[in-house]
Amino acid sequence: MSKSDDQFKSVLADKKIPVLTLDNKWHQLFNQSAQPDKRIKRLEDKLNDLLKKQGKANTETKEIKKLKRKLMQEIMENAQDASSGNDIAAQKIMDENKRLLDDCNKKIRGYKDELLELPEKIDKVNRELMRVTLEICYDKMNANDREIEETANWITQIRVELKKKLIRKQEMEDENHQLYSYMHDIFGADVINIFDRRNKESGNKK
């Protein structure tokens, strides 16, 4: 990593970056590309996988907590019968509910750890996706700028050539008008009309 990259990372460290794959405008950046960039595709898939894990962990945690509340309610309801020692069925239910409750607590702790780690992982991949996105966009804009400059130079050159052609066109039209006027004055309208027809017929035969 270059010193310049380190400086940019330092500047952006406290900047909040939106999750790019959830932003429709980010997708619009690459809609015009016939061949998507492999780096973008790889990071996009990685980020989406992390977001799916986060979503699943949140959903599973809610469901497990709901089940945990139900188990605790059943344990409280069966506590008196189970504690008497006379109701074997109640004791079995109590033991099974406690086992399930322990499983719930283990799963909740596991998802809690995962949910603590995922935001940092998501942010890291998201920032890398941002870096690659900006790199590609600026490369494209720089390429466009070069082509814009080349096109502008071509237009300027064409304008100069066009101006020269227009001046030359006007000069030839003036010359033709002057020649025709002199011929008309020298030879007269009747003679010129005859040669006009002859010239026109000769031109049509070519």
Side-chain angles (χ1 to χ4, degrees):
M1 184 179 294
S2 68
K3 185 177 180 181
S4 176
D5 287 338
D6 286 335
Q7 288 174 340
F8 276 114
K9 275 197 169 186
S10 177
V11 171
L12 293 170
D14 60 342
K15 304 295 181 184
K16 187 175 181 181
I17 310 299
V19 178
L20 297 179
T21 57
L22 300 180
D23 190 331
N24 185 55
K25 288 184 179 179
W26 177 81
H27 289 280
Q28 295 297 321
L29 289 173
F30 303 102
N31 275 356
Q32 298 176 359
S33 301
Q35 187 70 30
D37 189 279
K38 290 181 180 179
R39 294 172 297 168
I40 292 290
K41 188 69 174 68
R42 178 180 61 80
L43 289 167
E44 181 183 7
D45 290 344
K46 189 174 182 179
L47 182 55
N48 284 336
D49 285 342
L50 290 171
L51 291 171
K52 286 177 185 176
K53 284 183 180 179
Q54 188 180 49
K56 182 182 177 183
N58 280 319
T59 302
E60 290 290 327
T61 299
K62 288 178 183 178
E63 291 299 319
I64 293 170
K65 284 182 177 180
K66 189 187 297 183
L67 175 60
K68 183 180 175 181
R69 286 194 296 270
K70 183 181 177 182
L71 290 170
M72 290 178 71
Q73 182 64 32
E74 289 180 3
I75 288 172
M76 289 175 64
E77 290 172 356
N78 292 323
Q80 188 173 352
D81 293 335
S83 62
S84 66
N86 297 324
D87 193 331
I88 298 174
Q91 185 61 48
K92 284 185 177 180
I93 292 173
M94 174 71 77
D95 292 341
E96 178 62 14
N97 283 347
K98 284 183 177 180
R99 185 188 68 78
L100 292 173
L101 192 62
D102 286 340
D103 287 344
C104 286
N105 287 330
K106 287 178 183 177
K107 287 180 180 179
I108 288 173
R109 285 195 296 271
Y111 282 127
K112 184 179 180 181
D113 291 340
E114 190 174 0
L115 287 169
L116 286 172
E117 295 172 357
L118 279 170
E120 185 177 349
K121 291 180 179 179
I122 289 170
D123 186 64
K124 184 178 179 181
V125 176
N126 193 51
R127 286 177 183 275
E128 178 63 13
L129 182 57
M130 176 194 70
R131 187 191 67 78
V132 175
T133 296
L134 291 174
E135 181 182 318
I136 290 171
C137 288
Y138 274 105
D139 283 348
K140 180 61 177 174
M141 287 192 296
N142 289 337
N144 286 344
D145 284 340
R146 287 191 294 271
E147 189 170 347
I148 288 168
E149 186 177 359
E150 290 172 4
T151 303
N153 291 336
W154 177 82
I155 290 171
T156 300
Q157 186 177 356
I158 290 298
R159 281 176 177 165
V160 172
E161 291 297 321
L162 179 61
K163 188 175 181 180
K164 289 179 181 178
K165 294 286 186 182
L166 287 171
I167 292 171
R168 179 59 182 151
K169 173 178 174 289
Q170 186 63 51
E171 288 175 347
M172 289 187 292
E173 287 175 348
D174 291 344
E175 184 179 16
N176 280 357
H177 178 74
Q178 191 175 48
L179 287 171
Y180 192 78
S181 179
Y182 286 160
M183 289 190 303
H184 209 278
D185 291 344
I186 295 169
F187 301 109
D190 291 340
V191 173
I192 292 301
N193 286 339
I194 293 170
F195 275 87
D196 278 347
R197 288 195 297 273
R198 180 182 175 186
N199 184 63
K200 188 175 182 181
E201 290 171 0
S202 176
N204 289 337
K205 289 178 182 179
K206 291 180 181 179

